[in-house]
Amino acid sequence: MTPWEGLRGAAPPTLLRERPLADAEEVLVLTYTCDLSFFEDVCLREAQAVRARTTILYDADRVTQGPRRADYLALPVVCKGGGAFHPKLVVIASETDAVVAIGSGNATPSGWHHNAEVWTLLRGEGQTVPQLFHDLAAWLRRLPAAVWVENLGRERLDRVAALLTARPAEQASGQPVLVTTAVRPIVEQLPVPKTPVVSLAVAAPFFDAPAEALSRLLDRFGPDELHLLVTRDVQCDPDALARVVKRSPTSVVATPKSSRYHHAKIVEWRTGDQSWALTGSANCSVAALVKTMATGGNCELGLLTETAPLIDTGTADEVDLAQPAILHVREPGARAPSEATLRVLGVRVDAERVEATVLVDAELAPGWLMVDGLRLDHDHSDGKLHRYIGVPAADWSLLSGGRATVSVETDLGVEVRDVVVTDVTAALSRIDRPSPLEHTSLPLVIADQAHLAALLEALAQLAAVRPDGIATPSGVDRRRQVEGRITAAVGPALLRFTLGVDDRNRPTSVDEEIFDDLEKDNGASPVGSGQEKRGRTAERPPARAETVATVLDALTPNQRKRRQREVEELVHASERWSLPAKLAVSRLVLTLVAGGLWQDPTDWSDRLYWVVLQLWMTDQEESLNDEHAALATIGLVALRSGLDRRPEPDSELVEQFEDLRQAYVEWADWLAAVPVETVRRYASGLGGHTFGLLFGQTDFVAELGWILGRSALHDAVDRLTGAQLDSGSVVRVTGGRTTRQAVIAALDGLRDFPDVQVASEGEPTVHGWWNGRRLLLVTRTGATWRAETWSNLMTGIAAYSRGTPLRPPDRRWTASGPDDAFGSQAAGP
């Protein structure tokens, strides 16, 4: 067992980023106030990077920011006794290892970073675990009896409890002791020393109005000295607090010199040679220290430890409670009862049904609910909890488009908005090989060789997800099934990348956009408050976010060559991969081309050709049709751009593109049906010096229609000066010293298109055909046409376009017109 003393004080984000368990099974978070969007950024991505299922329980009245994702369990909780659900707990657990963090900070930017908080961490590895793990497991198992929580919450609490007790407890003295409000008031669980208490010190941001909890602490310990550390923006009645403080023979009231909001809750008492401390979630209030959950108290979680003193009022500014202006005191208030008479705790979607849980008195329970057009009928009741179930049609798609909340209507005419949605299959799956995109942005993955190698491994793992091997029962949403398989294989981040969903809100690896460096006081005004407001971002301007282009620009020549080689090997390896993997590879290659990995159009157009070809050769999967067609559309438009930008035409690539274009012509209707929004998702971020700044704003459907309506001949004619192809497939040319030379020059430029007809716009009118050995020219002379042929021109006709005289023709005759001459050219000389 790792000594807990060596792990004290680390806030949850720091702990999670260190990934103490490389293969965690469960991450459980309990909090009072909750910012789910922030939680997803700093907790969920780290948890899923180590394959952990993630569950967060929070007070149903205290969510400050809703979710953006539906692939974890966000479960609101209501205490049956009317108190607040107030514990602060993080558990990371597997069968062989576990970390438990108990502290004072809520899962918000303030609680997990900006505020001054106290956390205690314990780790259990090896053959035994601390006794506290078993005590915590017992509390987790009993918790559903004291709170209203969905069945999913009960299941996850039981599973975490089972992991905490998978190994026997170590019976050793000096270990921290768990305290809760489940059975006895916390104040009664604080051990009273056998020798006189020299000092009692209390730090808290909240005190009950009459300061009764502080009074009970004085009664219990009878200290010689009282030290009270109160934060600025403290919630208390200064007069009542002053009266209680005066009961102590000697007292000091102080506030920290730092401007940070001190949200830590500490009670410590000392004798001549020993010191104990209570830390955790409990404020110095009646609801936290004096009552139990059954008598209306809060749900609290704390630790009793024998430790060196944590509170030092000697380094703080003393405060006169008679003149407490420096504290910005807020009046205390009792917990306001919720105004909600009906709560929809959540909507949970799995492969076969949709379930919603409603908390309401029995006489007010709806007969049915309506969720995004799907009716859910009443199925089961458990006290005030009512469960509703509906079976969706195969085309019902609540989870499409990244939705994480929904409005729910009842048969009573009540509408409940912003109800959290959970994709249960994704939330309860463990990822086989999480991609580095779970915790690192794509630019930083590309910059780091180890991260890039991990991404390539994850793509190979994604190739094992073969939709043709997924059986879909009748009435089941196949799209969700396929997405669930992808998530289970490589994680939700790579799924989103594959489907073209942008992770704009994801912070960088050092969280510049979320966290400010507050290790040292910066003199700013206090951040956060007793109301647990969302913390501010950094005072300094955030560092410029890296982009794929800036990362690629910073590569050394050798690094660039290595990245090019790895991508080329990836494209080659993906030839026989399944459609989901090819979608991811195609998007990655497009992104790297746009960012400038290859600077010569000759190089990057070659790579794009193979990507677009593979998209054509891959079997279709109906549930991914939109993404498949969108990437093919963007790929064809980008490839055409590459062909146009090459300094010299490549006849082989031109021919290959023409074959590819003809193949896609057969699927023009399939391509034209792709939703514009899907194309825009994939095109976002592809603008720049490679494709052009406005590439993302291209009308791709119209552009593709133009490409499919053209041919390689159109492209070749476009490269000729003064030439255009008319609707009858005749190339019209102008310029040249003579009309004959202009026609011969055009025929030479179109030598890859044997016997294409070229006609001059000037006088005299000349028509010509060239097939590599035979030249036919037909010239208008008055009312007739003179036809001439030259055979066996083995060296070509380029010189004749520059003025070299042609030898006498092998045959000359009078024709009724150009088409008649071309039709009779096989006649004798």
Side-chain angles (χ1 to χ4, degrees):
M1 183 183 80
T2 300
W4 73 272
E5 290 87 348
L7 295 171
R8 284 182 293 172
T14 301
L15 171 67
L16 290 159
R17 281 197 295 268
E18 291 174 353
R19 299 184 196 166
L21 277 68
D23 191 25
E25 182 177 332
E26 302 282 345
V27 169
L28 172 68
V29 175
L30 273 55
T31 184
Y32 173 53
T33 308
C34 180
D35 180 333
L36 289 173
S37 176
F38 168 82
F39 173 79
E40 292 168 3
D41 285 331
V42 302
C43 180
L44 183 61
R45 62 182 181 141
E46 302 293 350
Q48 292 182 336
V50 292
R51 306 179 62 232
R53 305 179 187 95
T54 305
T55 304
I56 179 169
L57 274 63
Y58 54 91
D59 190 291
D61 288 326
R62 302 299 301 186
V63 60
T64 62
Q65 197 80 6
R68 300 190 309 264
R69 294 170 52 174
D71 55 349
Y72 66 104
L73 296 177
L75 304 172
V77 173
V78 177
C79 291
K80 293 181 178 180
F85 183 75
H86 202 254
K88 287 84 166 133
L89 170 72
V90 177
V91 179
I92 308 170
S94 69
E95 294 280 357
T96 58
D97 203 351
V99 172
V100 170
I102 296 175
S104 59
N106 293 296
T108 65
S110 294
W112 278 14
H113 182 77
H114 292 292
N115 296 341
E117 308 278 1
V118 171
W119 285 90
T120 302
L121 281 75
L122 299 93
R123 182 161 188 173
E125 55 185 352
Q127 300 301 312
T128 61
V129 296
Q131 175 61 43
L132 181 139
F133 282 29
H134 282 245
D135 296 339
L136 177 61
W139 181 76
L140 292 174
R141 291 187 175 107
R142 293 194 305 266
L143 188 59
V147 300
W148 298 114
V149 64
E150 297 171 72
N151 287 337
L152 279 171
R154 295 170 182 262
E155 294 169 6
R156 301 333 300 157
L157 292 172
D158 284 344
R159 179 54 187 160
V160 172
L163 294 176
L164 290 174
T165 55
R167 290 160 290 160
E170 177 184 7
Q171 303 298 328
S173 60
Q175 293 188 32
V177 176
L178 189 74
V179 294
T180 75
T181 50
V183 179
R184 295 172 58 205
I186 288 180
V187 70
E188 295 180 8
Q189 300 174 57
L190 306 182
V192 179
K194 296 180 180 179
T195 56
V197 173
V198 174
S199 173
L200 171 66
V202 177
F206 296 89
F207 294 82
D208 60 89
E212 181 180 344
L214 182 61
S215 180
R216 290 286 297 270
L217 290 173
L218 287 172
D219 291 341
R220 187 165 187 84
F221 295 112
D224 296 334
E225 298 179 359
L226 173 63
H227 295 262
L228 199 60
L229 188 68
V230 291
T231 185
R232 292 174 174 84
D233 206 29
V234 64
Q235 181 173 301
C236 70
D237 181 334
D239 295 335
L241 203 60
R243 286 193 295 271
V244 174
V245 168
K246 288 179 181 178
R247 290 178 45 198
S248 175
T250 303
S251 61
V252 176
V253 180
T255 189
K257 292 181 180 294
S258 167
S259 63
R260 294 177 71 179
Y261 181 68
H262 279 241
H263 190 253
K265 305 101 162 69
I266 306 171
V267 177
E268 61 182 22
W269 56 103
R270 289 186 291 138
T271 62
D273 55 0
Q274 284 185 288
S275 178
W276 294 264
L278 167 70
T279 59
S281 65
N283 285 294
C284 192
S285 67
V286 170
L289 295 179
V290 179
K291 291 185 176 181
T292 65
M293 293 182 68
T295 59
N298 296 340
C299 177
E300 304 282 3
L301 195 62
L303 289 176
L304 286 174
T305 57
E306 295 184 35
T307 180
L310 301 174
I311 299 174
D312 182 7
T313 56
T315 61
D317 295 325
E318 288 198 30
V319 174
D320 182 357
L321 289 175
Q323 297 178 328
I326 189 177
L327 295 178
H328 309 291
V329 173
R330 293 182 297 115
E331 294 185 1
R335 176 178 168 85
S338 173
E339 297 179 359
T341 57
L342 181 150
R343 300 175 186 269
V344 182
L345 298 184
V347 173
R348 316 304 174 188
V349 183
D350 64 21
E352 299 179 356
R353 67 181 188 178
V354 179
E355 180 177 315
T357 302
V358 174
L359 177 62
V360 67
D361 291 333
E363 60 270 18
L364 299 177
W368 49 263
L369 307 176
M370 189 66 68
V371 178
D372 204 36
L374 175 67
R375 174 168 165 158
L376 278 59
D377 293 314
H378 192 277
D379 175 74
H380 178 74
S381 296
D382 180 10
K384 294 184 179 182
L385 283 182
H386 300 265
R387 184 174 64 192
Y388 296 78
I389 293 176
V391 178
D395 58 352
W396 189 79
S397 56
L398 176 63
L399 294 173
S400 64
R403 293 176 65 182
T405 61
V406 70
S407 293
V408 177
E409 299 176 3
T410 78
D411 63 337
L412 304 175
V414 177
E415 181 182 13
V416 182
R417 299 181 180 181
D418 299 324
V419 177
V420 175
V421 175
T422 300
D423 182 342
V424 177
T425 302
L428 298 185
S429 297
R430 296 195 70 208
I431 304 168
D432 293 335
R433 190 186 296 276
S435 80
L437 296 176
E438 293 296 339
H439 54 81
T440 306
S441 65
L442 179 62
L444 297 183
V445 167
I446 294 169
D448 183 89
Q449 187 59 46
H451 283 335
L452 181 58
L455 177 59
L456 299 181
E457 289 180 10
L459 289 171
Q461 179 71 20
L462 176 57
V465 178
R466 308 200 69 88
D468 56 0
I470 301 175
T472 304
S474 176
V476 174
D477 184 349
R478 179 166 179 80
R479 168 76 174 217
R480 288 191 52 251
Q481 266 198 315
V482 173
E483 289 185 5
R485 291 288 185 89
I486 295 173
T487 300
V490 294
L494 188 49
L495 169 68
R496 291 191 294 275
F497 180 80
T498 300
L499 300 183
V501 179
D502 189 8
D503 275 349
R504 292 186 192 88
N505 294 317
R506 171 153 298 174
T508 65
S509 60
V510 293
D511 300 320
E512 291 109 334
E513 296 179 1
I514 295 180
F515 291 148
D516 190 6
D517 181 10
L518 294 179
E519 296 303 319
K520 295 182 179 180
D521 180 34
N522 60 10
S525 57
V527 176
S529 71
Q531 294 178 322
E532 304 289 355
K533 296 178 182 178
R534 181 169 180 154
R536 301 175 305 172
T537 53
E539 292 296 321
R540 62 185 183 278
R544 186 186 67 173
E546 293 285 7
T547 65
V548 171
T550 59
V551 164
L552 294 176
D553 286 343
L555 296 178
T556 66
N558 286 337
Q559 289 173 329
R560 182 179 293 272
K561 289 180 181 178
R562 180 171 182 175
R563 298 294 191 279
Q564 292 172 348
R565 184 175 65 253
E566 288 170 331
V567 174
E568 291 164 6
E569 292 172 353
L570 173 66
V571 173
H572 177 73
S574 66
E575 181 178 354
R576 298 185 181 278
W577 285 5
S578 61
L579 178 59
K582 283 190 176 179
L583 294 178
V585 171
S586 299
R587 189 183 185 199
L588 179 62
V589 175
L590 277 165
T591 302
L592 292 171
V593 168
L597 180 57
W598 295 273
Q599 296 172 334
D600 188 337
T602 300
D603 294 329
W604 60 258
S605 57
D606 284 341
R607 275 65 189 175
L608 279 185
Y609 167 75
W610 291 107
V611 167
V612 181
L613 177 64
Q614 288 195 23
L615 286 173
W616 161 251
M617 297 176 64
T618 303
D619 291 338
Q620 288 179 268
E621 160 58 40
E622 185 176 358
S623 65
L624 299 175
N625 258 349
D626 290 347
E627 287 75 14
H628 192 173
L631 275 173
T633 296
I634 296 172
L636 280 165
V637 173
L639 177 55
R640 171 56 196 263
S641 173
L643 293 177
D644 290 343
R645 292 165 186 258
R646 293 170 76 107
E648 294 291 336
D650 182 326
S651 58
E652 181 180 359
L653 185 58
V654 168
E655 183 178 348
Q656 290 173 332
F657 179 77
E658 177 60 17
D659 291 340
L660 187 61
R661 189 192 69 81
Q662 288 290 348
Y664 273 105
V665 165
E666 300 177 15
W667 292 88
D669 292 342
W670 175 71
L671 292 169
V674 62
V676 173
E677 181 55 37
T678 306
V679 177
R680 286 176 179 167
R681 288 204 317 260
Y682 282 113
S684 176
L686 295 183
H689 65 272
T690 300
F691 296 140
L693 292 173
L694 300 180
F695 185 76
Q697 301 176 26
T698 301
D699 184 342
F700 287 95
V701 175
E703 186 75 10
L704 182 63
W706 179 78
I707 290 173
L708 296 184
R710 291 169 60 82
S711 66
L713 178 59
H714 285 86
D715 297 338
V717 171
D718 284 350
R719 289 191 287 268
L720 298 179
T721 302
Q724 63 180 9
L725 185 65
D726 68 15
S727 58
S729 298
V730 176
V731 179
R732 306 287 178 178
V733 297
T734 60
R737 285 182 291 179
T738 67
T739 54
R740 171 178 284 207
Q741 288 180 1
V743 168
I744 294 175
L747 289 172
D748 180 62
L750 299 174
R751 55 188 172 273
D752 291 329
F753 303 90
D755 279 339
V756 64
Q757 184 177 359
V758 176
S760 68
E761 290 289 314
E763 296 293 338
T765 303
V766 177
H767 288 248
W769 291 263
W770 164 245
N771 65 9
R773 298 185 63 179
R774 183 264 303 132
L775 172 66
L776 168 63
L777 296 177
V778 183
T779 307
R780 187 178 186 89
T781 58
T784 63
W785 293 86
R786 183 181 72 242
E788 300 170 294
T789 59
W790 292 264
S791 301
N792 300 314
L793 299 176
M794 305 301 293
T795 59
I797 59 176
Y800 308 124
S801 69
R802 296 190 292 269
T804 300
L806 277 163
R807 61 176 169 80
D810 297 317
R811 181 187 177 207
R812 177 180 290 154
W813 72 101
T814 299
S816 61
D819 293 338
D820 173 65
F822 181 70
S824 63
Q825 66 180 314

